[in-house]
Amino acid sequence: MKQFLSADFLLQTATAQRLFHEYASSMPIIDYHNHLAPDEIAANRQFEHLSAMWLQGDHYKWRAMRANGVAEEFITGSADHFTKFKHWAATVPYTMRNPLYHWTHMELLNPFGITKQLNADTAKEIYDHCNAQLPQWTAQALLQHFKVNALCTTDDPCDSLEHHKAIQQKNLGVKVLPTFRPDKAMAVEDAAAFNAYMDKLAAAANKDINSYQALLDALRSRHDYFHATGGRLSDHGISTFYAAAYTTAGLESIFAKLRAGKAVSTEEAVQFKAATLHFICEWNHEKGWVQQFHVGAIRNNNSRLLQQIGADAGVDSIGDWQVAESMSAFFDGLDKKNKLAKTIVYNLNPSYNEVFATMAGNFQDGTVAGKMQFGSGWWFLDQKDGMEKQMNVLSNMGLLSRFVGMLTDSRSFLSYSRHEYFRRILCNLIGNDVENGELPSDIPWLGKMVQDICYNNAKAYFNF
């Protein structure tokens, strides 16, 4: 029987152990997509207690606690921070075989050095032990501890990026770059919310937005501003890809309808989204950016909790929209103009893994190794089984050796343990193949491949 969370955790063979310990474990991190708060990095936030560092905003934990019968008062409600932590600690034993059980104990082990299992009985001891260490684990100290070389936050076009500018004035040894996330500029289903956002965008861009062309001009202005502030990526959270014929006059008509507070049809919404996303992707290509598409989430399913807590309450799930034909048409529309930028597509519905991987292969053009990336297992697939499936599909349909690897997609500074988690799973996958005779025992080459996936491929691909 192997010990839980030993030095060889998840590493089932001697080859896997060698690949991880000799090649993967020491590599730096490029975290090219996360939801960390740049103001906390700029201010080098000192966390008040473990709950502030670990529980606030973590909807993964919230979902588990609700499933375990914990009342909302002790999750997102008015209960004090230690009471909330106690309810999380009491939930942890019930998360066995959920990735939260692994992540929780990996994050307690690194950086806090805790080897005990978290439960109701150990909650106070562990809470006090971690709190005693918090003065040394500021936001910047954690980034340095986990050897983060560069990270990309997720930012609205209206954001001032003042905190990114402040960070750039410091000598952190970590590049902190903004990512252009214009989802709200395409959220036309709610005309009132869309108009409120247009007013906000107009103020940020210092432009009147009284036409569709004016909207594009405002977005282009902010895209330029992000580039000047170091931004080199865009990110788009979409239900599915949008591909529809549109005309300039038709887009202006749809925009006028929205600004008048009128609802648009499904067909009009698709035209608007397809056009706007296409134009942004052309700008990405012009500037040499990387564009990311997170596809397939059905969000805010529980209207009661949405109203009570707001978005990101932990009530999102996997959607099942048709995607293949629209994705093909969307990428083809850019490719035939020679305006398809380096692209990463993240799939949330596992039944579409092969669709995404093969579609990426259609638009590789020989200009950049791995130009079209089938991205890492995302959200509900961000666990051992999901990562293995993603890497197996990528291996079968493309080149695993050109994969840009892992990202945290997290709001927590402790989530960098997920890079270690990914690296162990990667090394175990390759190690098993070697020991089964399915790959040669060429450790120098396989070690290079592992290091490329962990860091070198991303370094070359993003070229920060």
Side-chain angles (χ1 to χ4, degrees):
M1 180 184 298
K2 295 183 179 180
Q3 179 185 346
F4 173 64
L5 213 62
S6 70
D8 293 330
F9 178 58
L10 299 178
L11 306 172
Q12 299 170 336
T13 65
T15 302
Q17 293 162 13
R18 186 175 177 188
L19 289 173
F20 177 75
H21 294 301
E22 296 182 17
Y23 293 93
S25 63
S26 63
M27 297 301 289
I29 288 172
I30 292 178
D31 190 31
Y32 52 89
H33 175 71
N34 63 64
H35 297 275
L36 295 179
D39 60 324
E40 294 183 356
I41 300 173
N44 196 20
R45 181 179 176 183
Q46 174 71 66
F47 294 92
E48 305 85 352
H49 43 72
L50 184 58
S51 292
M53 177 183 277
W54 216 30
L55 299 184
Q56 289 179 2
D58 192 338
H59 51 78
Y60 287 82
K61 293 184 176 74
W62 297 352
R63 284 173 70 96
M65 292 168 76
R66 290 178 191 132
N68 199 42
V70 178
E72 199 65 32
E73 176 187 358
F74 306 113
I75 304 173
T76 63
S78 59
D80 66 86
H81 56 85
F82 179 62
T83 299
K84 290 179 178 178
F85 180 83
K86 284 196 300 183
H87 280 84
W88 166 240
T91 296
V92 168
Y94 294 92
T95 67
M96 286 189 178
R97 301 208 81 243
N98 183 292
L100 281 167
Y101 194 81
H102 285 170
W103 297 343
T104 292
H105 291 100
M106 290 181 73
E107 291 169 12
L108 290 174
L109 179 62
N110 185 15
F112 297 111
I114 291 172
T115 56
K116 289 186 176 181
Q117 274 74 66
L118 180 60
N119 53 50
D121 294 332
T122 60
K124 183 67 164 63
E125 176 188 357
I126 289 175
Y127 197 71
D128 290 345
H129 184 92
C130 292
N131 283 342
Q133 295 187 44
L134 288 186
Q136 76 185 80
W137 295 124
T138 61
Q140 293 176 15
L142 286 167
L143 295 177
Q144 293 161 1
H145 170 76
F146 287 111
K147 299 173 68 174
V148 180
N149 177 278
L151 66 89
C152 300
T153 59
T154 303
D155 310 277
D156 188 275
C158 296
D159 289 350
S160 69
L161 305 185
E162 60 185 292
H163 302 297
H164 289 85
K165 292 180 178 179
I167 292 166
Q168 291 168 8
Q169 301 303 311
K170 305 176 188 293
N171 184 23
L172 300 186
V174 180
K175 289 185 178 180
V176 180
L177 307 176
T179 297
F180 189 77
R181 177 83 176 240
D183 294 356
K184 292 180 181 178
M186 300 194 302
V188 297
E189 290 80 5
D190 183 334
F194 177 82
N195 283 317
Y197 184 75
M198 288 298 100
D199 294 342
K200 185 177 179 181
L201 179 61
N206 195 27
K207 296 177 182 290
D208 291 332
I209 302 180
N210 51 17
S211 67
Y212 181 74
Q213 183 58 52
L215 167 59
L216 291 182
D217 292 342
L219 285 172
R220 180 66 179 261
S221 171
R222 300 307 294 170
H223 197 273
D224 293 343
Y225 178 72
F226 270 60
H227 189 81
T229 315
R232 296 296 182 268
L233 293 90
S234 73
D235 183 46
H236 310 273
I238 54 180
S239 302
T240 186
F241 279 88
Y242 308 105
Y246 51 82
T247 64
T248 299
L251 293 170
E252 291 292 356
S253 176
I254 294 168
F255 184 83
K257 192 174 180 181
L258 285 164
R259 288 302 256 169
K262 299 177 181 178
V264 297
S265 68
T266 300
E267 293 75 15
E268 289 171 325
V270 170
Q271 290 175 33
F272 189 97
K273 290 170 185 281
T276 307
L277 195 56
H278 180 95
F279 290 127
I280 293 169
C281 289
E282 288 190 350
W283 308 336
N284 292 338
H285 180 268
E286 290 169 9
K287 291 187 173 73
W289 282 19
V290 174
Q291 55 199 19
Q292 304 172 91
F293 300 93
H294 287 85
V295 188
I298 180 167
R299 302 173 187 267
N300 302 318
N301 296 273
N302 187 318
S303 57
R304 175 182 56 82
L305 284 176
L306 174 64
Q307 184 175 15
Q308 179 181 336
I309 302 169
D312 302 316
V315 292
D316 308 320
S317 58
I318 295 171
D320 59 354
W321 293 273
Q322 294 288 316
V323 68
E325 291 185 1
S326 57
M327 179 162 39
S328 174
F330 183 80
F331 287 146
D332 189 58
L334 291 163
D335 182 78
K336 64 188 177 184
K337 292 182 177 180
N338 195 27
K339 291 188 177 182
L340 180 56
K342 289 183 285 189
T343 299
I344 308 175
V345 287
Y346 306 92
N347 171 45
L348 195 57
N349 188 325
S351 67
Y352 287 117
N353 276 345
E354 286 81 1
V355 171
F356 275 62
T358 55
M359 192 63 68
N362 294 333
F363 296 98
Q364 305 285 16
D365 60 14
T367 60
V368 176
K371 173 182 175 177
M372 301 294 292
Q373 290 277 327
F374 175 37
S376 182
W378 170 49
W379 204 341
F380 296 105
L381 308 183
D382 181 14
Q383 24 72 6
K384 183 174 181 289
D385 181 62
M387 290 180 194
E388 289 175 343
K389 286 179 177 176
Q390 184 269 344
M391 285 190 278
N392 280 326
V393 168
L394 177 55
S395 299
N396 288 329
M397 310 295 177
L399 299 179
L400 178 65
S401 56
R402 291 300 189 179
F403 181 31
V404 293
M406 184 58 177
L407 63 161
T408 62
D409 191 26
S410 174
R411 293 167 175 78
S412 171
F413 289 88
L414 293 178
S415 290
Y416 283 102
S417 292
R418 295 187 194 176
H419 281 264
E420 177 188 345
Y421 196 59
F422 168 84
R423 291 173 181 187
R424 288 176 179 272
I425 292 166
L426 168 66
C427 292
N428 190 61
L429 204 67
I430 295 172
N432 282 342
D433 283 351
V434 171
E435 304 222 2
N436 288 335
E438 298 177 42
L439 288 176
S441 184
D442 185 348
I443 298 301
W445 175 257
L446 294 174
K448 176 187 181 299
M449 177 177 167
V450 163
Q451 290 185 328
D452 287 348
I453 295 169
C454 292
Y455 176 75
N456 295 327
N457 287 345
K459 182 180 179 181
Y461 188 77
F462 296 104
N463 193 26
F464 293 138

